[in-house]
Amino acid sequence: VQLQASGGGLVQPGGSLRLSCATSGRTFTSYVMGWFRRAPGKEREFVAAIRWIGGSTYYSDSMKGRFTLSRDNAKNTVYLQMNSLKPEDTAVYYCATNPKSVLTSLEVNYDYWGQGTQVTVSS
């Protein structure tokens, strides 16, 4: 099972980025994909999650309205569109799979993790 996160980079405050998480190695259609992030000096925190079947989503309150999840089942890829980025969004962003099809923010429910992609918001 492999998860490949990409799309990070340097962006100015107020800008946008779209992260991708490409998956391979098993059938993910019954799973949930989540995004987490770890800012410098902080614990990893939940960002958002999406269910493969149906596309239901769940967002952390602090990201709601600015971040949007989508998925392309044919490509086994999940996208995290991030708008109105702030310096405090600077972090390494990770994608992960949850095999129980439960939209949850709890890391313990996620079994496979990608390597992370760096997002830096700075002028």
Side-chain angles (χ1 to χ4, degrees), residues 17-108:
L17 279 176
R18 189 178 79 158
L19 306 184
S20 300
C21 180
T23 64
S24 62
R26 69 180 178 192
T27 302
F28 288 90
T29 55
S30 63
Y31 289 59
V32 161
M33 290 294 298
W35 284 94
F36 293 77
R37 70 183 186 184
R38 187 193 302 272
K42 295 187 176 181
E43 297 291 319
R44 189 158 58 188
E45 65 172 339
F46 172 76
V47 174
I50 185 168
R51 186 176 285 124
W52 280 104
I53 296 177
S56 301
T57 54
Y58 172 44
Y59 296 93
S60 169
D61 286 344
S62 61
M63 288 71 162
K64 197 176 297 183
R66 298 191 299 124
F67 291 7
T68 303
L69 276 172
S70 62
R71 85 263 189 251
D72 185 331
N73 288 6
K75 295 182 179 180
N76 285 337
T77 300
V78 169
Y79 304 99
L80 179 66
Q81 177 68 42
M82 305 186 297
N83 299 327
S84 302
L85 284 164
K86 307 173 183 179
E88 50 264 43
D89 293 317
T90 295
V92 177
Y93 284 71
Y94 301 88
C95 57
T97 64
N98 171 4
K100 297 187 177 180
S101 196
V102 175
L103 290 170
T104 176
S105 62
L106 298 177
E107 290 190 30
V108 67

